[in-house]
Amino acid sequence: MTVIAPMKIAAAGSRRRAIARSTEHQVSTTPVAPRLRCPRLAVSWRGYRLGGRCAHAVAIPSCRGVRAGTVNNIGQMTYILAMADTLTRDHEGPVLIVGGYGTVGSALTELAAPHWPLLLTGRNPEKGAALADKHGATVRRWDLTDPAPFRAAVRAVIGTVNDPIDRVLTAAVGAGVPYVDITRWTSRMTRAVAAAAVMRPRAPVLFSSAWMGGITSVVAAALISERGGGATSVDIAVRWDMNDMAGIDSVDFMDRLGYDYEVRRGGLPVTVAPLTDPRIVNIAGSRTKVVRIDTPEQLTLPITLDVGTVSTRIGFSSGAATTALLAAKKVGLFRWGKGDRWTSVRRSLLYSPGEGGNAEIRVDVDGEGGRTSATVVDPRGQAHLTALGGFLGLRRVLDPTGSEPGVTYPELHPDPASILRSLPEHGVEVLRE
Protein backbone atom coordinates (compact mmCIF):
# COMPACT_ATOMS: atom_id res chain seq x y z
CA MET A 1 0.00 0.00 0.00
CA THR A 2 1.27 3.45 -0.88
CA VAL A 3 0.13 6.27 1.37
CA ILE A 4 0.55 9.82 0.22
CA ALA A 5 1.31 12.33 2.92
CA PRO A 6 -1.35 14.99 3.62
CA MET A 7 -1.02 18.09 1.56
CA LYS A 8 -1.65 21.49 3.05
CA ILE A 9 -4.03 23.87 1.37
CA ALA A 10 -2.87 27.45 1.06
CA ALA A 11 -4.65 30.34 -0.58
CA ALA A 12 -3.22 33.83 -1.00
CA GLY A 13 -4.84 36.00 -3.65
CA SER A 14 -4.34 34.42 -7.03
CA ARG A 15 -1.60 32.09 -5.78
CA ARG A 16 -2.67 28.72 -4.43
CA ARG A 17 -0.32 25.86 -3.97
CA ALA A 18 -0.55 22.50 -2.31
CA ILE A 19 2.17 19.90 -2.45
CA ALA A 20 2.08 16.26 -1.48
CA ARG A 21 5.08 14.00 -1.74
CA SER A 22 5.56 10.27 -1.50
CA THR A 23 8.21 7.86 -2.71
CA GLU A 24 6.25 7.01 -5.86
CA HIS A 25 3.86 9.85 -6.73
CA GLN A 26 3.71 13.61 -6.42
CA VAL A 27 0.57 15.72 -6.48
CA SER A 28 0.88 19.48 -6.76
CA THR A 29 -1.32 22.44 -7.44
CA THR A 30 -0.56 25.59 -9.40
CA PRO A 31 -2.64 28.77 -9.68
CA VAL A 32 -4.45 27.10 -12.59
CA ALA A 33 -4.91 23.47 -11.57
CA PRO A 34 -3.00 20.66 -9.91
CA ARG A 35 -1.63 17.77 -11.90
CA LEU A 36 -1.06 14.18 -10.99
CA ARG A 37 2.12 12.56 -12.25
CA CYS A 38 0.90 9.00 -12.61
CA PRO A 39 1.02 6.69 -15.65
CA ARG A 40 -2.46 5.33 -14.95
CA LEU A 41 -4.65 8.35 -14.37
CA ALA A 42 -4.50 12.13 -14.28
CA VAL A 43 -7.14 13.88 -12.21
CA SER A 44 -7.27 17.64 -11.83
CA TRP A 45 -9.44 20.20 -10.08
CA ARG A 46 -9.53 23.96 -10.31
CA GLY A 47 -7.75 26.00 -7.71
CA TYR A 48 -10.82 27.44 -6.04
CA ARG A 49 -10.56 28.83 -2.52
CA LEU A 50 -11.02 25.74 -0.40
CA GLY A 51 -12.60 25.24 3.00
CA GLY A 52 -13.51 22.40 5.32
CA ARG A 53 -11.13 19.50 5.86
CA CYS A 54 -7.91 19.46 3.90
CA ALA A 55 -7.41 17.26 0.88
CA HIS A 56 -4.91 14.44 1.25
CA ALA A 57 -4.48 12.99 -2.21
CA VAL A 58 -6.01 12.18 -5.55
CA ALA A 59 -7.28 8.73 -6.42
CA ILE A 60 -4.56 6.68 -8.10
CA PRO A 61 -5.84 3.43 -9.60
CA SER A 62 -2.38 1.90 -9.73
CA CYS A 63 -2.15 2.27 -5.97
CA ARG A 64 -4.27 0.01 -3.85
CA GLY A 65 -4.64 2.55 -1.08
CA VAL A 66 -4.44 6.26 -0.57
CA ARG A 67 -5.25 8.36 2.43
CA ALA A 68 -8.71 9.89 2.12
CA GLY A 69 -9.84 13.44 2.59
CA THR A 70 -12.41 15.98 1.42
CA VAL A 71 -12.54 19.60 0.46
CA ASN A 72 -15.46 21.90 -0.22
CA ASN A 73 -15.53 24.03 -3.34
CA ILE A 74 -17.86 26.82 -4.38
CA GLY A 75 -21.44 25.72 -3.83
CA GLN A 76 -20.52 23.81 -0.65
CA MET A 77 -20.43 20.50 -2.50
CA THR A 78 -18.07 18.00 -0.95
CA TYR A 79 -15.54 16.49 -3.31
CA ILE A 80 -13.66 13.41 -2.32
CA LEU A 81 -10.21 13.84 -3.79
CA ALA A 82 -8.94 10.48 -2.66
CA MET A 83 -10.28 7.27 -1.29
CA ALA A 84 -8.93 3.87 -0.45
CA ASP A 85 -11.84 1.99 -2.04
CA THR A 86 -10.79 -1.46 -3.11
CA LEU A 87 -12.85 -3.62 -5.44
CA THR A 88 -11.65 -6.98 -6.67
CA ARG A 89 -13.13 -9.06 -9.44
CA ASP A 90 -14.82 -12.29 -8.37
CA HIS A 91 -16.50 -14.18 -11.22
CA GLU A 92 -18.73 -15.97 -8.69
CA GLY A 93 -19.35 -12.93 -6.52
CA PRO A 94 -22.36 -10.61 -6.38
CA VAL A 95 -23.33 -7.83 -8.74
CA LEU A 96 -22.86 -4.55 -6.88
CA ILE A 97 -25.77 -2.15 -7.37
CA VAL A 98 -24.74 1.27 -6.10
CA GLY A 99 -27.97 2.88 -4.94
CA GLY A 100 -29.59 -0.53 -4.99
CA TYR A 101 -32.64 0.35 -2.90
CA GLY A 102 -33.54 3.71 -4.42
CA THR A 103 -36.39 4.15 -6.90
CA VAL A 104 -34.50 2.85 -9.94
CA GLY A 105 -32.20 0.66 -7.85
CA SER A 106 -35.14 -1.21 -6.33
CA ALA A 107 -36.59 -1.89 -9.77
CA LEU A 108 -33.19 -3.08 -10.97
CA THR A 109 -32.85 -5.33 -7.92
CA GLU A 110 -36.18 -6.96 -8.79
CA LEU A 111 -34.97 -7.64 -12.32
CA ALA A 112 -31.48 -8.82 -11.43
CA ALA A 113 -32.12 -10.95 -8.33
CA PRO A 114 -33.26 -14.07 -10.22
CA HIS A 115 -30.01 -14.06 -12.23
CA TRP A 116 -27.13 -13.13 -9.90
CA PRO A 117 -26.35 -12.71 -6.21
CA LEU A 118 -26.58 -9.03 -5.33
CA LEU A 119 -24.81 -6.53 -3.09
CA LEU A 120 -26.82 -3.33 -2.56
CA THR A 121 -25.22 -0.16 -1.26
CA GLY A 122 -26.34 3.31 -0.25
CA ARG A 123 -26.09 5.93 2.47
CA ASN A 124 -28.59 4.33 4.82
CA PRO A 125 -28.49 0.52 4.48
CA GLU A 126 -31.29 0.05 6.99
CA LYS A 127 -33.64 1.46 4.35
CA GLY A 128 -32.69 -1.39 2.03
CA ALA A 129 -32.91 -4.19 4.59
CA ALA A 130 -36.42 -5.34 3.63
CA LEU A 131 -35.62 -5.35 -0.09
CA ALA A 132 -32.40 -7.26 0.52
CA ASP A 133 -34.19 -9.84 2.69
CA LYS A 134 -36.84 -10.32 0.02
CA HIS A 135 -34.26 -11.17 -2.64
CA GLY A 136 -31.56 -12.82 -0.54
CA ALA A 137 -29.21 -9.90 -1.22
CA THR A 138 -26.61 -8.27 1.00
CA VAL A 139 -26.89 -4.59 1.87
CA ARG A 140 -23.98 -2.39 3.01
CA ARG A 141 -23.22 1.27 3.49
CA TRP A 142 -21.31 3.16 0.80
CA ASP A 143 -21.87 6.88 1.00
CA LEU A 144 -20.11 8.43 -1.98
CA THR A 145 -19.68 11.71 -0.08
CA ASP A 146 -17.95 9.99 2.85
CA PRO A 147 -14.21 9.30 2.45
CA ALA A 148 -14.48 6.11 4.50
CA PRO A 149 -13.06 3.33 2.27
CA PHE A 150 -15.29 0.68 0.75
CA ARG A 151 -14.07 -2.82 -0.11
CA ALA A 152 -15.82 -5.69 -1.85
CA ALA A 153 -15.25 -8.62 -4.20
CA VAL A 154 -17.82 -8.44 -7.02
CA ARG A 155 -18.48 -9.76 -10.52
CA ALA A 156 -19.83 -6.44 -11.91
CA VAL A 157 -20.83 -2.95 -10.81
CA ILE A 158 -23.74 -0.79 -11.90
CA GLY A 159 -24.33 2.77 -10.73
CA THR A 160 -27.92 3.98 -10.28
CA VAL A 161 -27.06 7.17 -8.39
CA ASN A 162 -24.99 10.20 -9.32
CA ASP A 163 -21.24 9.69 -9.10
CA PRO A 164 -20.05 13.27 -9.67
CA ILE A 165 -16.37 12.64 -8.92
CA ASP A 166 -16.24 9.23 -10.60
CA ARG A 167 -15.61 7.38 -7.35
CA VAL A 168 -17.44 4.22 -8.36
CA LEU A 169 -16.05 4.40 -11.87
CA THR A 170 -12.48 4.71 -10.58
CA ALA A 171 -12.84 1.76 -8.20
CA ALA A 172 -14.45 -0.53 -10.79
CA VAL A 173 -12.26 0.28 -13.78
CA GLY A 174 -9.09 0.28 -11.70
CA ALA A 175 -9.95 -3.24 -10.50
CA GLY A 176 -10.85 -4.61 -13.94
CA VAL A 177 -14.48 -5.14 -12.93
CA PRO A 178 -17.22 -4.82 -15.62
CA TYR A 179 -19.06 -1.55 -15.10
CA VAL A 180 -22.40 -0.06 -16.21
CA ASP A 181 -23.52 3.52 -15.60
CA ILE A 182 -27.06 4.78 -16.21
CA THR A 183 -26.96 8.10 -14.37
CA ARG A 184 -24.88 10.71 -16.19
CA TRP A 185 -25.90 13.73 -18.16
CA THR A 186 -23.84 14.54 -21.24
CA SER A 187 -21.04 16.68 -19.82
CA ARG A 188 -20.41 14.32 -16.91
CA MET A 189 -20.44 11.33 -19.22
CA THR A 190 -17.91 13.01 -21.51
CA ARG A 191 -15.55 13.56 -18.59
CA ALA A 192 -16.05 10.00 -17.31
CA VAL A 193 -15.34 8.54 -20.75
CA ALA A 194 -12.07 10.45 -20.87
CA ALA A 195 -11.10 9.28 -17.39
CA ALA A 196 -11.97 5.66 -18.18
CA ALA A 197 -10.01 5.72 -21.43
CA VAL A 198 -6.88 6.95 -19.65
CA MET A 199 -7.21 4.09 -17.15
CA ARG A 200 -7.09 1.51 -19.98
CA PRO A 201 -10.01 -0.70 -18.89
CA ARG A 202 -9.43 -4.42 -18.59
CA ALA A 203 -13.16 -5.12 -18.63
CA PRO A 204 -16.20 -3.65 -20.43
CA VAL A 205 -17.19 -0.13 -19.36
CA LEU A 206 -20.72 0.60 -20.60
CA PHE A 207 -21.93 4.19 -20.45
CA SER A 208 -25.66 3.64 -20.76
CA SER A 209 -26.91 7.05 -19.67
CA ALA A 210 -28.99 7.74 -22.76
CA TRP A 211 -32.64 8.28 -21.88
CA MET A 212 -34.15 5.39 -19.89
CA GLY A 213 -30.91 3.57 -19.22
CA GLY A 214 -29.92 3.48 -22.87
CA ILE A 215 -33.21 2.10 -24.18
CA THR A 216 -33.54 4.98 -26.66
CA SER A 217 -30.12 4.25 -28.14
CA VAL A 218 -30.74 0.52 -28.48
CA VAL A 219 -34.09 1.13 -30.20
CA ALA A 220 -32.49 3.62 -32.60
CA ALA A 221 -29.73 1.14 -33.39
CA ALA A 222 -32.26 -1.63 -34.01
CA LEU A 223 -34.27 0.54 -36.41
CA ILE A 224 -31.13 1.59 -38.26
CA SER A 225 -30.11 -2.06 -38.52
CA GLU A 226 -33.50 -2.86 -40.09
CA ARG A 227 -32.75 -0.30 -42.77
CA GLY A 228 -29.48 -1.94 -43.63
CA GLY A 229 -27.35 0.36 -41.51
CA GLY A 230 -28.04 3.76 -43.03
CA ALA A 231 -29.82 6.79 -41.52
CA THR A 232 -29.62 10.53 -42.01
CA SER A 233 -31.51 11.52 -38.85
CA VAL A 234 -32.88 10.15 -35.58
CA ASP A 235 -35.65 11.97 -33.72
CA ILE A 236 -36.51 10.87 -30.18
CA ALA A 237 -39.65 12.14 -28.42
CA VAL A 238 -40.27 11.42 -24.73
CA ARG A 239 -43.67 11.76 -23.06
CA TRP A 240 -43.24 12.36 -19.33
CA ASP A 241 -46.24 11.07 -17.36
CA MET A 242 -46.85 13.41 -14.42
CA ASN A 243 -48.53 10.54 -12.53
CA ASP A 244 -45.44 8.35 -12.66
CA MET A 245 -43.76 7.15 -9.46
CA ALA A 246 -40.46 8.86 -10.23
CA GLY A 247 -37.50 9.26 -7.92
CA ILE A 248 -36.04 12.68 -7.19
CA ASP A 249 -32.99 11.93 -9.35
CA SER A 250 -35.29 11.58 -12.36
CA VAL A 251 -35.58 15.37 -12.62
CA ASP A 252 -31.84 16.04 -12.46
CA PHE A 253 -32.10 17.21 -16.06
CA MET A 254 -33.89 20.30 -14.71
CA ASP A 255 -30.51 21.52 -13.52
CA ARG A 256 -29.23 21.54 -17.12
CA LEU A 257 -32.03 23.62 -18.63
CA GLY A 258 -30.03 26.82 -18.28
CA TYR A 259 -27.16 25.58 -20.44
CA ASP A 260 -26.96 25.51 -24.22
CA TYR A 261 -25.53 22.31 -25.66
CA GLU A 262 -24.08 20.96 -28.86
CA VAL A 263 -25.79 18.59 -31.30
CA ARG A 264 -25.13 17.48 -34.85
CA ARG A 265 -27.21 18.81 -37.71
CA GLY A 266 -26.38 17.44 -41.12
CA GLY A 267 -23.13 16.15 -39.69
CA LEU A 268 -22.01 19.58 -38.47
CA PRO A 269 -21.89 20.73 -34.84
CA VAL A 270 -24.44 23.36 -33.83
CA THR A 271 -25.33 24.83 -30.46
CA VAL A 272 -28.97 24.77 -29.39
CA ALA A 273 -30.88 25.90 -26.31
CA PRO A 274 -33.03 23.63 -24.14
CA LEU A 275 -36.83 23.95 -24.34
CA THR A 276 -36.74 25.32 -27.89
CA ASP A 277 -37.76 24.11 -31.35
CA PRO A 278 -41.19 22.76 -30.32
CA ARG A 279 -42.99 20.06 -32.28
CA ILE A 280 -46.26 18.20 -31.94
CA VAL A 281 -45.63 14.43 -31.98
CA ASN A 282 -48.04 11.51 -31.75
CA ILE A 283 -46.68 9.38 -28.91
CA ALA A 284 -48.70 6.21 -28.31
CA GLY A 285 -51.88 7.93 -29.48
CA SER A 286 -51.38 11.17 -27.55
CA ARG A 287 -50.58 14.38 -29.41
CA THR A 288 -47.77 15.82 -27.32
CA LYS A 289 -45.90 19.10 -27.56
CA VAL A 290 -42.20 18.34 -27.20
CA VAL A 291 -39.17 20.61 -26.87
CA ARG A 292 -35.41 20.10 -26.92
CA ILE A 293 -33.50 18.59 -24.01
CA ASP A 294 -29.84 17.68 -23.57
CA THR A 295 -29.31 13.89 -23.45
CA PRO A 296 -26.18 11.76 -24.07
CA GLU A 297 -27.47 9.90 -27.13
CA GLN A 298 -27.33 13.18 -29.07
CA LEU A 299 -23.58 13.08 -28.53
CA THR A 300 -22.93 9.38 -29.11
CA LEU A 301 -25.25 8.34 -31.96
CA PRO A 302 -23.61 10.60 -34.58
CA ILE A 303 -20.24 9.10 -33.64
CA THR A 304 -21.16 5.45 -33.15
CA LEU A 305 -23.78 5.04 -35.90
CA ASP A 306 -22.74 7.84 -38.28
CA VAL A 307 -26.09 9.65 -38.06
CA GLY A 308 -25.98 13.19 -39.40
CA THR A 309 -28.75 14.69 -37.23
CA VAL A 310 -29.92 13.50 -33.80
CA SER A 311 -32.52 15.33 -31.72
CA THR A 312 -34.16 14.43 -28.42
CA ARG A 313 -37.23 16.28 -27.16
CA ILE A 314 -39.45 15.94 -24.12
CA GLY A 315 -43.12 16.68 -23.51
CA PHE A 316 -45.50 16.15 -20.62
CA SER A 317 -48.83 14.49 -20.02
CA SER A 318 -49.98 17.72 -18.39
CA GLY A 319 -50.42 20.73 -20.63
CA ALA A 320 -50.14 22.92 -17.53
CA ALA A 321 -46.70 21.48 -16.76
CA THR A 322 -45.54 22.25 -20.29
CA THR A 323 -46.88 25.81 -20.02
CA ALA A 324 -45.24 26.33 -16.63
CA LEU A 325 -41.89 25.02 -17.82
CA LEU A 326 -41.86 27.21 -20.91
CA ALA A 327 -42.96 30.22 -18.86
CA ALA A 328 -40.12 29.58 -16.41
CA LYS A 329 -37.69 29.56 -19.30
CA LYS A 330 -39.15 32.76 -20.71
CA VAL A 331 -38.57 34.66 -17.46
CA GLY A 332 -35.05 33.26 -17.25
CA LEU A 333 -35.42 30.97 -14.23
CA PHE A 334 -32.96 28.44 -15.65
CA ARG A 335 -30.39 31.18 -16.27
CA TRP A 336 -30.46 33.22 -13.05
CA GLY A 337 -31.75 30.39 -10.89
CA LYS A 338 -28.98 27.86 -11.53
CA GLY A 339 -27.60 27.62 -7.99
CA ASP A 340 -28.48 25.39 -5.07
CA ARG A 341 -30.73 28.10 -3.66
CA TRP A 342 -33.21 27.55 -6.48
CA THR A 343 -32.97 23.78 -6.82
CA SER A 344 -36.28 23.10 -5.05
CA VAL A 345 -38.03 25.70 -7.20
CA ARG A 346 -36.70 24.23 -10.44
CA ARG A 347 -37.55 20.68 -9.53
CA SER A 348 -40.99 21.49 -8.15
CA LEU A 349 -42.06 22.30 -11.69
CA LEU A 350 -41.96 18.60 -12.57
CA TYR A 351 -41.35 16.51 -9.47
CA SER A 352 -44.78 15.46 -8.18
CA PRO A 353 -44.66 11.64 -8.09
CA GLY A 354 -48.05 9.96 -8.30
CA GLU A 355 -49.50 6.48 -8.10
CA GLY A 356 -47.93 5.34 -11.34
CA GLY A 357 -48.01 5.97 -15.06
CA ASN A 358 -46.62 4.95 -18.42
CA ALA A 359 -43.14 5.61 -19.74
CA GLU A 360 -43.50 6.39 -23.46
CA ILE A 361 -40.78 7.06 -26.03
CA ARG A 362 -41.09 7.44 -29.78
CA VAL A 363 -38.05 6.95 -32.03
CA ASP A 364 -38.14 7.99 -35.70
CA VAL A 365 -35.31 7.11 -38.07
CA ASP A 366 -35.16 8.81 -41.45
CA GLY A 367 -33.00 8.14 -44.47
CA GLU A 368 -33.06 6.85 -47.97
CA GLY A 369 -36.30 4.93 -48.40
CA GLY A 370 -38.37 6.93 -45.92
CA ARG A 371 -39.05 6.69 -42.20
CA THR A 372 -38.94 3.80 -39.74
CA SER A 373 -40.59 4.29 -36.35
CA ALA A 374 -41.15 2.53 -33.05
CA THR A 375 -42.83 3.63 -29.84
CA VAL A 376 -41.85 1.99 -26.57
CA VAL A 377 -44.47 1.94 -23.80
CA ASP A 378 -43.75 0.64 -20.30
CA PRO A 379 -46.91 0.55 -18.15
CA ARG A 380 -44.71 0.15 -15.06
CA GLY A 381 -43.20 3.57 -15.62
CA GLN A 382 -39.88 5.22 -16.19
CA ALA A 383 -38.11 3.74 -13.15
CA HIS A 384 -38.81 0.23 -14.44
CA LEU A 385 -37.81 1.10 -18.00
CA THR A 386 -34.58 2.74 -16.82
CA ALA A 387 -33.83 -0.27 -14.62
CA LEU A 388 -34.51 -2.55 -17.57
CA GLY A 389 -31.93 -0.64 -19.59
CA GLY A 390 -29.46 -1.19 -16.76
CA PHE A 391 -30.33 -4.89 -16.50
CA LEU A 392 -29.80 -5.40 -20.22
CA GLY A 393 -26.48 -3.58 -19.87
CA LEU A 394 -25.42 -5.93 -17.08
CA ARG A 395 -26.26 -8.96 -19.19
CA ARG A 396 -24.12 -7.54 -21.97
CA VAL A 397 -20.99 -6.77 -19.93
CA LEU A 398 -21.21 -10.16 -18.20
CA ASP A 399 -21.54 -12.08 -21.45
CA PRO A 400 -18.01 -13.27 -22.32
CA THR A 401 -19.00 -13.64 -25.98
CA GLY A 402 -20.75 -10.30 -26.34
CA SER A 403 -18.42 -7.79 -24.77
CA GLU A 404 -14.79 -6.72 -24.96
CA PRO A 405 -12.66 -4.65 -22.59
CA GLY A 406 -12.96 -0.92 -23.10
CA VAL A 407 -15.51 1.89 -23.26
CA THR A 408 -18.72 1.15 -25.12
CA TYR A 409 -22.31 2.39 -25.52
CA PRO A 410 -25.73 0.72 -25.65
CA GLU A 411 -26.19 1.28 -29.38
CA LEU A 412 -23.03 -0.74 -30.05
CA HIS A 413 -24.73 -3.92 -28.89
CA PRO A 414 -23.78 -6.72 -31.31
CA ASP A 415 -27.46 -7.48 -32.00
CA PRO A 416 -29.69 -4.51 -31.07
CA ALA A 417 -32.67 -6.04 -32.91
CA SER A 418 -32.66 -8.89 -30.40
CA ILE A 419 -32.99 -6.37 -27.57
CA LEU A 420 -35.94 -4.73 -29.28
CA ARG A 421 -37.61 -8.14 -29.70
CA SER A 422 -36.98 -8.99 -26.05
CA LEU A 423 -38.69 -5.94 -24.55
CA PRO A 424 -42.19 -7.52 -24.54
CA GLU A 425 -40.79 -10.33 -22.36
CA HIS A 426 -40.40 -7.69 -19.66
CA GLY A 427 -43.88 -6.22 -20.07
CA VAL A 428 -42.80 -3.41 -22.41
CA GLU A 429 -44.87 -2.80 -25.53
CA VAL A 430 -43.24 -1.96 -28.85
CA LEU A 431 -45.66 -0.22 -31.22
CA ARG A 432 -44.78 -0.07 -34.88
CA GLU A 433 -46.21 2.07 -37.69
Side-chain angles (χ1 to χ4, degrees), residues 212-213 215 359 361 376 378 381-390 423 428:
M212 298 293 104
I215 292 292
I361 307 167
V376 174
D378 190 340
Q382 63 181 359
H384 178 261
L385 190 57
T386 302
L388 179 57
L423 293 181
V428 178

Side-chain angles (χ1 to χ4, degrees), residues 58-196:
V58 178
I60 302 174
S62 60
C63 301
R64 273 293 156 254
V66 245
R67 186 174 296 180
T70 62
V71 298
N72 293 327
N73 82 337
I74 294 172
Q76 303 301 310
M77 182 176 182
T78 298
Y79 282 83
I80 304 165
L81 297 182
M83 61 290 295
D85 303 319
T86 302
L87 296 181
T88 55
R89 187 170 185 179
D90 180 354
H91 293 273
E92 301 301 321
V95 168
L96 168 57
I97 303 179
V98 182
Y101 48 86
T103 304
V104 172
S106 295
L108 178 57
T109 296
E110 296 274 352
L111 289 165
H115 302 272
W116 311 288
L118 301 178
L119 169 58
L120 316 180
T121 65
R123 293 182 179 181
N124 303 294
E126 63 277 4
K127 293 183 179 180
L131 181 69
D133 288 343
K134 176 182 177 182
H135 295 291
T138 301
V139 60
R140 289 174 53 192
R141 184 175 187 271
W142 192 8
D143 182 350
L144 301 184
T145 66
D146 186 339
F150 179 83
R151 297 178 175 88
V154 296
R155 73 174 68 193
V157 177
I158 182 168
T160 69
V161 294
N162 285 324
D163 182 21
I165 60 161
D166 304 330
R167 182 170 180 176
V168 180
L169 170 72
T170 299
V173 178
V177 175
Y179 171 82
V180 181
D181 193 291
I182 59 174
T183 65
R184 298 175 188 272
W185 58 67
T186 309
S187 59
R188 281 190 176 171
M189 189 187 77
T190 303
R191 185 197 63 206
V193 168

Side-chain angles (χ1 to χ4, degrees), residues 22 28 33 67 83 120 163 215 224 239 282 294 337 355 366-367:
S22 73
S28 65
R67 186 174 296 180
M83 61 290 295
L120 316 180
D163 182 21
I215 292 292
I224 292 173
R239 188 172 189 270
N282 184 337
D294 183 13
E355 298 297 320
D366 285 288

